[in-house]
Amino acid sequence: MNLPNKITFSRVLLIPVFMIFLLVPFDWGAIEIFSGEIPTHHFIAALIFIIASCTDWIDGYYARKLNMVTNLGKFLDPLADKLLVTAALIGLVELQLAPAWMVILILSREFAVTGLRLIAAGDGDVIAASQMGKLKTWIQIIAIAALLLHNVPFTALSIPFASLALWAATIITVYSGWDYFMKNKHIMLKSK
């Protein structure tokens, strides 16, 4: 468990804390920002989510800088991303801030790619995150953060940024899933 892997694991440990602030209806009032209002506990949940998401960049930076890239890290990093994003999306559906059909599409891709990685691991291969997969993750994070913040500050400008970002996340997620399977179809063919 080197430093980058510990940072990755901290992302997983933040998930229950994030979910408590997101889903427990604390009566802490609301914060008004740029003519928009956010329940205080959702604002705290958004901050925790953003901090946890930033650990994705931090662990990758240290893994490359300190030459500590490991197979465990290649497996754990995208898994931690998936767990955080899955928890957030399910919470947003529960709060009726995201449509279930989009979340189902996004999560279906995540499970399918995880399944592909498991097949590869069974054959002794490791599928590292691709550039498209990393882009997909960051667009998902931006969309989720915007939804958690109830589209503030864009509500003041009457711009549905959170909805547009979720559409973009859904489209790029589906495309990146197709991309993973096309680039790694040899793994499925080999495992017959």
Side-chain angles (χ1 to χ4, degrees), residues 102 105-110 112-113 116 130-137 139-140 166-184:
M102 284 181 155
L105 274 177
I106 291 169
L107 296 183
S108 295
R109 179 267 187 213
E110 301 301 350
V113 170
L116 179 63
S130 69
Q131 291 299 85
M132 181 66 68
K134 290 176 185 178
L135 174 66
K136 174 267 316 173
T137 299
I139 292 174
Q140 287 177 350
L166 186 58
W167 271 99
T170 303
I171 292 165
I172 196 78
T173 298
V174 170
Y175 176 76
S176 73
W178 176 82
D179 186 56
Y180 263 103
F181 276 89
M182 289 300 102
K183 288 181 178 171
N184 295 290

Side-chain angles (χ1 to χ4, degrees), residues 145-191:
L147 290 164
L148 290 170
L149 292 169
H150 295 248
N151 200 47
V152 169
F154 299 99
T155 50
L157 303 171
S158 298
I159 298 171
F161 178 79
S163 296
L164 295 172
L166 186 58
W167 271 99
T170 303
I171 292 165
I172 196 78
T173 298
V174 170
Y175 176 76
S176 73
W178 176 82
D179 186 56
Y180 263 103
F181 276 89
M182 289 300 102
K183 288 181 178 171
N184 295 290
K185 61 185 171 193
H186 63 280
I187 290 172
M188 292 184 299
L189 296 172
K190 184 170 73 169
S191 70

